[in-house]
Amino acid sequence: MQQYRTHTCSELRKTDIDKNVYLAGWIHSRRDHGGVLFIDLRDNYGLTQVVVYPAVAFLDEVSRLPKETVIRFGGKVAFRSEENVNPKLPTGEIEVVADSFEVLGTCDALPLNVFPEDDAPEDLRLTYRFLDLRRSKLHQNIMLRSDVIASMRRRMWDLGFKEFQTPILTSSSPEGARDYLVPSRIHPGKFYALPQAPQQFKQLLMISGFDRYFQIAPCFRDEDARADRSPGEFYQLDIEMSFVNQDDIFKVVESLIHGIFAEFSKKTMDAPPFVRIPFRESMIKYGTDKPDLRIPIEMRDCTAIFAQSGFKVFRGAIETGAVVRAIPVKGIAKNPRNFFDKMVDHATTIGAKGLAYLQWLDAGVKGPLLKFLTPEEVKSIEALCGVGLGDVVFFICDTPQTTNKLSGELRVKLGKDLGMIDPDAFKFCWIVDFPMYEWDEENKCVAFSHNPFSMPQGGMEALSSKQPLDILAYQYDIVCNGIELSSGAIRNHQPEIMYRAFEIAGYPKETVDERFGAMINAFKLGAPPHGGIAPGVDRIVMLLADEQNIREIIAFPMNQRAQDLMMNAPATVTQKQLRELHIKVVEHS
RNA sequence: GGGCUGGUAGUUCAGCUGGUUAGAACGCCGGCCUGUCAAGCCGGAGGUCACGAGUUCGAGCCUCGUCCAGCCCGCCA
């Protein structure tokens, strides 16, 4: 076997002058002066300039090799005179004078440039992902991902956690997202499901007494994509701990998350403990359970003020269950009329019935809304929103759910348009006290709002005495810059509370036994109190790489329509395969 | 399933109020060139203006439909 190289393309320095070396890599770029030829040779580690002089017989042959040809050069490391040093490269003080070469891999015309890194259509990038991955930005992102995952593992081991594997072929669970199903050959008509998360397995490992579990776990959910949500599969740093309360978990996760972010990013961030915001408060202040705290706008519930006011549009709506949300913004009262028109326009585009506002100007309070309000009511708004001269308050009035959605969107829109978002900051928070149940409008019933295995706050007592929709759960999310990084809970490990919790959501005891048999049996045979969380690996890397799209930190992502354009998945299979799996494809009418 | 934005050379884009032969840059091909590092200079090839229909004397541009892409809503316990 020949030795392909003596050094990598980022290794050679002035101290290596006169050494005879071999370098192997891709032809990154070429500068052909007719007499002398410069080639930047690239590998995973960097670039080195190779010079080919007319003295060698192969100058002409090498000058014809296309970019991205894989080649090995032999030669001597040479000093570059001062004016020829390239300060942009770590190897810029030297060059390799070629005395031999060998093509290791030829290259045809490229469908997209590796260098320079011009914008290219995403479908082309995905079809030729191996070329895209050669490009510096994506290559660095994937290396960062590897380093982040290595750091996660190291930190988890240091915190006393053990790593486990759990099954990929498992059974479908009735709650949650759509499953990916895998037909069974041996059992006609039966299906495995790919795990949406190793939720039940990690709880069972706690019941098995392993105390501290983690796994870089693949999760499969058949749901539609978003910019921060890859279709099909994604990875979680799955964590579970025994004999812990919520604060114990927060402490571990804060140390882990802050450690990772501080290790891999120069952006500013608050030290732990992270701010904790109850779910209901978050919905009012930010209109969402994943607030971007970089935006310094806190909204207020103004329903009480308008319920009594002379503004009939709001008062009438409030009488039929609407709420009014105030969006106070500092220092923009003097913005031109055009700005306010555009905001109103945008509000109606996203579905608002309108967008009222008040401006606090030198000449007094102004705005389309003013004539309907008494001076006392304006004072109340001032006090509630903490506004004064130079400030503006926008108002949204709609059903509680729609108000949250619209005001939350407008808050982000204002933050972006007004340049309020610090691009060099990470703002973390915990969202806590999620409701255990919510009203399912589609099926007109009480449903679990998050994980059905979460422990209700107040336990059996709360389940028996409170209105279902008032019961809170030990359920929490960690949020960074408006992106939900992680969701977790203290689990319900007591079978009686479990049966009762499911009963409220409409599942009789028999159904629980049937669908969660393994879990409920385990809970009856000595289950420790336990809880956990599962930070999204992809989203963490996305934030650290400062990418707006999750596909930029995944080596081989699917497109928005859940297709792998490179491997051509999904694809049809042979009749033989279908027969073996007892599957018949029927046309949809 | 729905909404928004877009689709012009291999790629990124320009293309005026509908008007002659649809342009530029990068890339590609050929030539020149001994110190570049975004090398330079000269020349060349490359277009079903996403597709279909309509309006018009005339459509890249206007209208309708279809397809495709991105982003969003729904969905994501």
Side-chain angles (χ1 to χ4, degrees):
Chain A
M1 216 36 206
Q2 81 178 112
Q3 185 188 7
Y4 287 112
R5 61 186 179 195
T6 57
H7 298 79
T8 71
C9 290
S10 77
E11 254 186 295
L12 295 169
R13 295 292 184 275
K14 269 198 291 197
T15 48
D16 298 301
I17 298 237
D18 285 338
K19 277 185 191 165
N20 283 304
V21 299
Y22 284 110
L23 295 181
W26 287 260
I27 296 180
H28 182 70
S29 67
R30 185 182 43 215
R31 294 170 294 280
D32 186 350
H33 290 248
V36 61
L37 170 68
F38 299 100
I39 286 176
D40 287 340
L41 196 66
R42 183 193 73 240
D43 66 11
N44 179 65
Y45 308 97
L47 292 174
T48 299
Q49 175 164 285
V50 176
V51 201
V52 186
Y53 285 112
V56 295
F58 56 79
L59 170 65
D60 202 48
E61 192 181 343
V62 170
S63 75
R64 284 174 206 286
L65 293 172
K67 282 190 194 182
E68 296 305 309
T69 299
V70 182
I71 190 168
R72 182 183 79 152
F73 282 108
K76 187 172 272 192
V77 181
F79 174 75
R80 288 208 215 181
S81 65
E82 201 176 324
E83 67 273 19
N84 288 330
V85 164
N86 183 352
K88 292 186 213 160
L89 292 181
T91 60
E93 290 185 315
I94 58 92
E95 60 196 5
V96 171
V97 180
D99 54 32
S100 69
F101 86 100
E102 182 185 0
V103 171
L104 304 175
T106 59
C107 184
D108 294 341
L110 294 165
L112 62 92
N113 279 334
V114 174
F115 178 84
E117 267 174 76
D118 302 325
D119 286 344
E122 197 173 20
D123 56 351
L124 197 67
R125 292 178 54 205
L126 291 173
T127 305
Y128 295 95
R129 192 60 165 181
F130 49 90
L131 288 179
D132 199 15
L133 286 165
R134 282 185 203 163
R135 293 157 42 125
S136 168
K137 183 68 175 121
L138 204 49
H139 204 86
Q140 294 305 319
N141 285 354
I142 299 304
M143 304 244 281
L144 170 69
R145 185 186 175 108
S146 174
D147 292 344
V148 168
I149 288 173
S151 177
M152 284 176 175
R153 283 216 162 86
R154 198 163 51 240
R155 288 167 189 278
M156 294 310 288
W157 290 330
D158 290 349
L159 287 162
F161 287 80
K162 297 294 175 191
E163 187 170 6
F164 295 77
Q165 280 79 50
T166 52
I168 298 299
L169 291 175
T170 179
S171 61
S172 176
S173 77
E175 294 286 327
R178 274 186 291 269
D179 284 315
Y180 278 101
L181 298 176
V182 179
S184 164
R185 175 181 57 84
I186 299 171
H187 303 280
K190 292 190 175 178
F191 295 83
Y192 302 94
L194 305 183
Q196 296 184 20
Q199 182 64 37
Q200 296 189 48
F201 291 111
K202 71 172 174 177
Q203 291 193 241
L204 289 163
L205 285 166
M206 291 302 97
I207 297 167
S208 309
F210 288 109
D211 202 71
R212 290 191 156 201
Y213 149 100
F214 89 96
Q215 177 178 196
I216 309 287
C219 304
F220 305 90
R221 295 178 194 174
D222 187 2
E223 298 296 341
D224 290 337
R226 288 289 182 276
D228 65 353
R229 201 166 81 203
S230 190
E233 57 194 76
F234 60 96
Y235 282 81
Q236 290 183 335
L237 170 56
D238 201 31
I239 298 172
E240 197 76 5
M241 306 160 72
S242 289
F243 305 111
V244 290
N245 61 26
Q246 187 167 288
D247 285 332
D248 297 325
I249 291 173
F250 283 12
K251 218 173 155 188
V252 164
V253 174
E254 283 172 344
S255 133
L256 176 85
I257 294 286
H258 184 266
I260 295 272
F261 275 74
E263 180 180 351
F264 291 101
S265 178
K266 290 191 176 70
K267 295 191 182 189
T268 61
M269 61 196 85
D270 299 325
F274 301 152
V275 58
R276 297 172 195 190
I277 305 170
F279 171 82
R280 287 189 216 278
E281 183 186 323
S282 181
M283 295 310 283
I284 287 174
K285 282 187 176 172
Y286 312 108
T288 174
D289 59 0
K290 41 180 182 177
D292 189 338
L293 295 183
R294 292 174 302 173
I295 302 168
I297 299 174
E298 277 192 14
M299 305 189 295
R300 294 285 184 268
D301 177 42
C302 266
T303 313
I305 295 171
F306 282 93
Q308 312 296 328
S309 78
F311 188 39
K312 284 186 187 144
V313 178
F314 279 16
R315 205 176 69 195
I318 291 166
E319 278 160 16
T320 60
V323 296
V324 180
R325 189 69 41 83
I327 314 173
V329 188
K330 299 277 182 193
I332 61 162
K334 286 187 179 164
N335 275 31
R337 176 61 191 264
N338 177 270
F339 167 81
F340 293 96
D341 288 348
K342 275 188 178 164
M343 282 313 297
V344 173
D345 219 43
H346 179 75
T348 47
T349 309
I350 62 175
K353 296 186 179 76
L355 181 66
Y357 59 90
L358 292 173
Q359 296 157 274
W360 274 257
L361 294 162
D362 295 323
V365 182
K366 201 188 121 188
L369 198 55
L370 186 70
K371 59 178 179 238
F372 302 106
L373 298 174
T374 65
E376 290 72 35
E377 283 162 351
V378 173
K379 286 280 170 216
S380 305
I381 291 168
E382 259 179 48
L384 182 67
C385 296
V387 292
L389 187 62
D391 301 340
V392 169
V393 178
F394 295 92
F395 299 91
I396 284 284
C397 176
D398 214 306
T399 62
Q401 209 189 343
T402 307
T403 298
N404 283 337
K405 190 182 144 231
L406 295 175
S407 63
E409 256 181 69
L410 287 172
R411 178 179 170 272
V412 171
K413 166 89 175 159
L414 285 161
K416 279 184 183 160
D417 288 2
L418 295 167
M420 291 172 159
I421 299 179
D422 180 356
D424 295 315
F426 288 124
K427 291 273 190 184
F428 296 100
C429 64
W430 290 101
I431 305 298
V432 298
D433 301 338
F434 277 85
M436 185 82 186
Y437 301 101
E438 64 190 8
W439 183 250
D440 180 345
E441 198 47 53
E442 196 183 326
N443 300 307
K444 306 288 177 200
C445 65
V446 169
F448 287 111
S449 66
H450 280 81
N451 191 324
F453 302 120
S454 299
M455 181 68 96
Q457 293 187 21
M460 194 58 124
E461 166 74 29
L463 291 184
S464 321
S465 62
K466 287 190 166 181
Q467 288 297 314
L469 297 181
D470 290 336
I471 300 168
L472 301 177
Y474 285 115
Q475 167 87 38
Y476 37 81
D477 283 359
I478 190 165
V479 174
C480 177
N481 292 2
I483 290 179
E484 182 196 314
L485 281 189
S486 179
S487 207
I490 296 296
R491 320 299 174 189
N492 182 350
H493 70 289
Q494 307 207 27
E496 291 316 311
I497 302 180
M498 183 106 176
Y499 282 130
R500 178 75 191 121
F502 271 92
E503 194 185 336
I504 291 172
Y507 296 93
K509 189 165 186 282
E510 302 74 57
T511 310
V512 178
D513 285 338
E514 183 189 314
R515 292 190 169 165
F516 303 103
M519 292 292 283
I520 209 85
N521 280 339
F523 289 151
K524 289 173 183 171
L525 295 170
H530 61 285
I533 194 161
V537 172
D538 309 86
R539 285 183 183 174
I540 288 173
V541 177
M542 181 177 155
L543 284 168
L544 291 171
D546 220 355
E547 290 286 359
Q548 303 303 308
N549 192 299
I550 204 156
R551 291 186 290 274
E552 299 300 313
I553 51 88
I554 298 172
F556 300 106
M558 294 202 282
N559 67 7
Q560 187 165 244
R561 298 211 306 154
Q563 297 166 303
D564 181 335
L565 297 176
M566 188 176 61
M567 302 303 283
N568 188 30
T572 52
V573 296
T574 64
Q575 282 302 317
K576 179 167 178 281
Q577 284 173 298
L578 289 176
R579 259 198 314 279
E580 280 182 341
L581 294 170
H582 324 284
I583 297 261
K584 189 172 188 176
V585 178
V586 294
E587 290 296 322
H588 226 288
S589 53

